[in-house]
Amino acid sequence: MSSAANAVRDWLQARLPLAETQEFASHKTVPVHRFMAIYYLGGMTLFFFIVQVITGILLMLYYRPSANEAFESVEFIMTTVPFGWLIRSLHSWSANLMVYFAFVHLVTVYFTRSYRKPREITWITGCLLLFVAMGFGFSGYLLPWNQLAFFATRVGTDIAGAVPIVGEWALRFLRGGDRVSGGTLSRFYGWHVAILPLITAALLAGHLILVQLQGMSTPESERKSAASRRPMQFFPNFALRDLFGWVLALAVLAGAAALFPWELGEKADPFAPAFADIRPEWYFMFMFETLKLVPGGEIFGIEYEAIPILGFSLLGLLLVLVPFLDPEPTTPGRRRFFNGIGVVGLVYAVGMTAYGYRSLASVWIVVGTALLILALGLATRRTPRSST
Ligand code: HEM
């Protein structure tokens, strides 16, 4: 190392706990077993989040959050700003992939029961991160101010309005008034670029610090085999594998963004008749389709529609509380119960999403999920023997 580099290192060393961090990192290991491929899923979600931050900042340079200018500014980004179309396409594709991987990460953490003591807070911050990611999607959907976004937001916020007691307040809070308007757009922009990023930064910091402090958990079924194997060094062995995954992810993301650029559609017209094919983003589809099955009417002054809305809210709360509902030690009955609930929930969510699209896209979702599960299965079939 040159003397200048040495001087910089010494200067930093005297002010930051560099040596301690290096020491900590050199002892960090990852258990080696059949299912260790799932340890890459959180990192993959993180990768897409980083892409979101970078592309989002670039989009902010040209985007204008007002009903008169939003659509035109996105059009400008796509037609005039150098590589603007690509940045917008990367942001939209990466948003979907981030939510997709957050879901897959949650599913694997659930089935391996990695939420148990001492990882309850890691699980809770993870759930909150997923909800926030969905909030990013919901608020970002409106920003291009096109027909689909406008009417989908009207329907989406209407749903919030159906909740008993707080519904009317929630609807006005979300819309910034009675109707979806330019005021809603600036409000959603505020959520999307300031409030949600701040909440995410705090949650993500907590989530990642806890993962570092607690290390990776070993699924119950793999404890014996993991104990008989030498764990893998995090630096550089696991980190390089993580990086390899990120390079692959970047290739897939760039390919998708370049070959299938995100469409803009037509500018929103609040006075036009309701858009024929109103669709939320795919990760809201299973809830949206469920609501569509509910007939109109009310019981004891509560709209029928409110019942599934309250049901989904309760399920969200139960999801957050899973570590407390299923603590260690496992009983065979409880294991079967939680596995059963997990499978039923997953099949319902994927099935209703596919049903909601009733098109080729649904086949893609099912095929994509099946391929991912297959890839995970193949990747975990042969386990490396040592840390090299
Ligand atoms: C933006 C979303 C998220 C990011 C960036 C993220 C990131 C990560 C990373 C990098 C890890 C370490 C590697 C791994 O085990 O995969 C991790 C572990 C973990 N995550 Fe997440 N995560 C996110 C969402 C979630 C969600 C939705 C849950 C579940 C509700 C969750 C629960 C956990 C748990 C319990 C662990 C510890 C796993 C173990 O020790 O085996 N995370 N997360």
Side-chain angles (χ1 to χ4, degrees), residues 110-111 113 334-346:
Y110 178 87
F111 283 108
R113 298 189 158 71
R334 183 142 47 82
R335 185 204 308 273
R336 271 198 300 276
F337 177 76
F338 275 86
N339 282 347
I341 295 262
V343 170
V344 169
L346 193 60

Side-chain angles (χ1 to χ4, degrees), residues 38-43 45-46 98 102 105-106 109 114-115 119 122-123 126-127 129-130 204 207-208 211 215-217:
I38 60 172
Y39 296 142
Y40 298 104
L41 293 170
T45 316
L46 182 62
M98 179 178 117
H105 178 45
L106 178 144
V109 167
S114 310
Y115 46 72
R119 295 184 177 75
T122 319
W123 168 270
C127 280
L129 276 168
L130 179 69
L204 197 56
H207 197 71
L208 297 181
V211 170
M216 308 293 198
S217 70

Side-chain angles (χ1 to χ4, degrees), residues 66-114:
S66 80
N68 288 334
E69 291 178 304
F71 183 84
E72 285 75 7
S73 68
V74 178
E75 211 169 34
F76 181 76
I77 289 171
M78 292 186 67
T79 55
T80 314
V81 177
F83 295 106
W85 65 273
L86 185 59
I87 298 295
R88 171 165 184 255
S89 196
L90 284 171
H91 194 73
S92 309
W93 274 101
S94 174
N96 285 285
L97 287 165
M98 179 178 117
V99 176
Y100 178 74
F101 274 96
F103 267 117
V104 179
H105 178 45
L106 178 144
V107 169
T108 58
V109 167
Y110 178 87
F111 283 108
T112 51
R113 298 189 158 71
S114 310

